[in-house]
Amino acid sequence: IVLPSSFEGQDPEPFHPAIQRITNFWADGTWKGPSAKLGAYWHQDGQFWERPKHNVLSILHAQATPPSGGETGFADLRAARATLSKPLLERAEKTSIKVSVRDIGDFKKGTEEDLAAFPDAQHPILDHHTLDGGPQLYVGSPHMAVSGLETPEAGRALLDMLLMHATSPSYTYFHAWDVGDVIIWDNTQTLHHSMPYNNDGTARRELYRTQSRVVIPESKNEEL
């Protein structure tokens, strides 16, 4: 998957547009500054793609890590769905998130031409996995609007409750990176979050990310 170069800090790996540099230094060795950060909130990569293009796998590899901090948090949206209370399940039953690429903080520097190439997407909050039909939550990120309730404010309140539930300690794992680590995850059933660290220009947090789509079999007998 190749995203427009104006997205995500305008820092694709030179000559490899499908690889994003998730780092506090530019490829030429220049420090990006103390405010350089991507994905510093709970979110699902690919939420802005229309279905079924939202079935995105992410692969993240560490080549340099700071002395402390800079972990990546992950939240299990299958487990979170399985333990939702009956009132919340009933409340969320007919709701969807409405995703505009323009509302995603990491893309705020996108050019108008690049932003216009992505129509708004919509995903049911009570979703099912494309491959096995397993129930899961699909909450996108805190930036999303929610349709299907009485008011936008009611939708916001529901999304906040679901995010709080899904990112509680029972469903989260925080990975402390070592050089050479590789993590692969399925974004349709996983939230993730880049955690803070002391970004004063003395230490590198250098990760590389690429993405691929889940291939959907045309029949149950077809191999992935």
Side-chain angles (χ1 to χ4, degrees):
I1 297 173
V2 178
L3 293 176
S5 60
S6 69
F7 285 10
E8 297 190 273
Q10 299 179 314
D11 193 18
E13 176 70 1
F15 310 111
H16 297 280
I19 299 175
Q20 285 289 327
R21 305 180 71 255
I22 313 298
T23 173
N24 57 336
F25 282 79
W26 297 105
D28 64 4
T30 305
W31 182 42
K32 293 181 179 180
S35 62
K37 56 184 178 181
L38 291 174
Y41 53 91
W42 290 106
H43 64 287
Q44 292 171 266
D45 287 348
Q47 59 184 302
F48 54 89
W49 290 104
E50 294 180 293
R51 304 169 77 87
K53 290 184 177 180
H54 73 304
N55 288 288
V56 172
L57 300 176
S58 291
I59 305 169
L60 197 58
H61 166 59
Q63 289 198 357
T65 62
S68 62
E71 300 88 352
T72 299
F74 296 93
D76 183 347
L77 293 174
R78 287 207 187 207
R81 162 76 184 266
T83 54
L84 271 187
S85 66
K86 185 177 180 181
L88 266 182
L89 281 170
E90 292 175 348
R91 183 75 169 151
E93 186 176 8
K94 296 181 180 179
T95 60
S96 299
I97 59 166
K98 299 172 67 176
V99 186
S100 170
V101 73
R102 300 173 188 274
D103 294 334
I104 297 175
D106 286 344
F107 299 161
K108 62 184 178 181
K109 294 183 179 179
T111 64
E112 179 57 34
E113 181 181 5
D114 287 342
L115 292 169
F118 290 85
D120 291 353
Q122 191 155 324
H123 306 288
I125 287 178
L126 299 185
D127 202 5
H128 292 83
H129 197 274
T130 300
L131 294 182
D132 66 6
Q136 60 193 20
L137 291 177
Y138 199 100
V139 289
S141 70
H143 310 111
M144 301 302 100
V146 175
S147 62
L149 293 180
E150 310 83 35
T151 64
E153 292 75 20
R156 165 58 52 194
L158 174 65
L159 184 61
D160 288 346
M161 284 189 288
L162 294 175
L163 282 166
M164 184 178 298
H165 171 72
T167 59
S168 63
S170 295
Y171 314 115
T172 51
Y173 162 72
F174 293 87
H175 185 75
W177 291 95
D178 287 321
V179 172
D181 285 355
V182 177
I183 292 183
I184 303 172
W185 70 93
D186 177 356
N187 284 282
T188 63
Q189 55 188 331
T190 312
L191 288 164
H192 64 287
H193 187 312
S194 175
M195 307 309 293
Y197 64 101
N198 182 25
N199 179 23
D200 61 2
T202 62
R204 289 178 178 267
R205 182 181 188 267
E206 186 176 338
L207 306 177
Y208 292 83
R209 191 207 71 193
T210 193
Q211 295 178 323
S212 181
R213 285 199 171 88
V214 174
V215 177
I216 302 170
E218 294 183 0
S219 70
K220 292 183 179 180
N221 295 324
E222 183 179 340
E223 293 184 0
L224 297 180

